């Protein structure tokens, strides 16, 4: 069964360091999402890609966060420098296309702890 | 902008008892509604969704939810829960078109043997 892959599963870093997360969506899925889930909260969208183009990054803290999907397949989310408040689960999801008719499939997430 | 309120952060229930997880949304336009389940250390899985048509939607593992437009609710129910239903449940809403999913804060369902 096709799945969304994410790595690493866990990351511990010190504040002011740089971190990067990787996501490989289900093959053929054009739409890719990065969410942040703070403990005790629901996921919040950080950025949405359609193929290699950014569709929505209105909630991405662009002073420290960046995301790319250069070839329209896998994607990387980077934080530089990391802050204590960035500790959270970072979830990647993919769907065949945009819109509510297309189910989003979630990866297992990367749990980030900033010390 | 749309928003989702899940009224209960934790719901403990005995095995084989019924359960209802409440979800209310606010939006001035038509919405699409979803319930997702998250097991420990895993990503979210779609449980069921309402896009249009019948207001009662069902999942393959016995959950159901009813869209109530007048009460702006989409409560999740199961007549008899199992230990394996222990998880976090998230209600989510999106508008028609390409607007992002907005999630509630989640309800932790704990099934007690």
């Amino acid at each position: 069964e096709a799945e969304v892959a994410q790595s690493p599963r866990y990351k511990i870093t010190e504040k002011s360091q740089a971190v990067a997360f990787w996501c490989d969506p289900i093959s053929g899925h054009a739409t890719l999402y990065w969410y942040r889930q703070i403990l005790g909260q629901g996921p919040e969208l950080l950025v949405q890609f359609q193929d290699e183009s950014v569709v929505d990054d209105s909630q991405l803290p662009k002073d420290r966060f960046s995301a790319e999907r250069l070839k329209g397949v896998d994607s990387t989310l980077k934080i530089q420098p990391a802050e204590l408040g960035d500790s959270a689960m970072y979830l990647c999801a993919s769907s065949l296309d945009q819109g509510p008719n297309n189910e989003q499939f979630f990866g297992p997430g990367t749990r980030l702890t900033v010390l | 902008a749309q928003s989702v309120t899940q009224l209960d952060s934790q719901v403990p229930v005995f095995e084989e008892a019924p359960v209802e997880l409440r979800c209310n949304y606010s939006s001035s336009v038509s919405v699409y509604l979803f319930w997702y389940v998250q097991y420990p250390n895993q990503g979210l899985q779609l449980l069921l969704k309402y896009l249009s048509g019948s207001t009662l939607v069902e999942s393959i593992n016995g959950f159901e939810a009813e869209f109530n437009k007048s009460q702006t609710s989409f409560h999740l129910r199961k007549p008899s829960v199992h230990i394996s239903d222990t998880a976090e449940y998230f209600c989510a809403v999106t508008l028609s078109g390409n607007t992002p999913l907005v999630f509630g804060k989640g309800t932790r369902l704990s099934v007690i043997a």
Side-chain angles (χ1 to χ4, degrees):
Chain A
E1 181 176 312
E3 295 179 341
V4 176
Q6 289 188 249
S7 66
R9 292 292 308 274
Y10 304 91
K11 179 69 177 180
I12 300 174
T13 190
E14 294 184 345
K15 64 180 181 178
S16 80
Q17 296 298 304
V19 292
F21 313 131
W22 178 78
C23 172
D24 191 13
I26 293 173
S27 178
H29 280 195
T31 312
L32 185 146
Y33 313 79
W34 282 102
Y35 291 89
R36 177 171 59 186
Q37 184 180 17
I38 297 171
L39 191 63
Q41 306 282 329
E44 294 180 307
L45 182 70
L46 290 174
V47 61
Q48 177 184 337
F49 289 92
Q50 183 69 10
D51 300 311
E52 67 276 7
S53 300
V54 173
V55 173
D56 184 351
D57 64 356
S58 57
Q59 299 303 310
L60 188 71
K62 298 181 188 64
D63 57 335
R64 298 184 301 107
F65 286 64
S66 64
E68 60 183 18
R69 194 185 184 198
L70 294 176
K71 297 184 179 179
V73 181
D74 58 338
S75 175
T76 302
L77 178 70
K78 297 179 181 177
I79 309 175
Q80 182 174 16
E83 296 181 353
L84 296 178
D86 296 332
S87 293
M89 176 78 88
Y90 290 83
L91 295 165
C92 179
S94 70
S95 61
L96 270 173
D97 204 344
Q98 302 180 78
N101 290 312
N102 295 284
E103 179 179 345
Q104 293 187 29
F105 293 86
F106 285 79
T110 295
R111 183 170 296 281
L112 173 66
T113 302
V114 182
L115 302 175
Chain B
Q2 68 272 31
S3 66
V4 175
T5 302
Q6 291 185 244
L7 298 168
D8 306 296
S9 60
Q10 297 188 52
V11 173
V13 62
F14 286 104
E15 193 174 18
E16 298 184 5
V19 69
E20 178 180 82
L21 307 183
R22 295 180 291 172
C23 172
N24 287 88
Y25 67 92
S26 69
S27 174
S28 58
V29 297
S30 296
V31 296
Y32 299 137
L33 294 155
F34 305 79
W35 275 99
Y36 283 84
V37 59
Q38 185 176 32
Y39 299 102
N41 296 316
Q42 295 187 26
L44 280 71
Q45 301 173 30
L46 180 64
L47 193 58
L48 45 76
K49 62 184 177 183
Y50 170 77
L51 301 182
S52 64
S54 173
T55 57
L56 184 66
V57 290
E58 299 176 350
S59 73
I60 58 174
N61 57 354
F63 283 93
E64 65 178 31
E66 186 161 19
F67 170 55
N68 188 319
K69 188 175 182 179
S70 63
Q71 299 193 6
T72 60
S73 68
F74 191 55
H75 300 332
L76 182 70
R77 302 183 183 96
K78 189 170 185 179
S80 176
V81 295
H82 303 289
I83 294 289
S84 59
D85 293 324
T86 294
E88 188 100 22
Y89 292 79
F90 293 93
C91 183
V93 63
T94 187
L95 305 179
S96 58
N98 187 32
T99 54
L101 279 175
V102 174
F103 288 87
K105 293 186 176 182
T107 298
R108 182 172 299 279
L109 173 64
S110 298
V111 180
I112 305 162

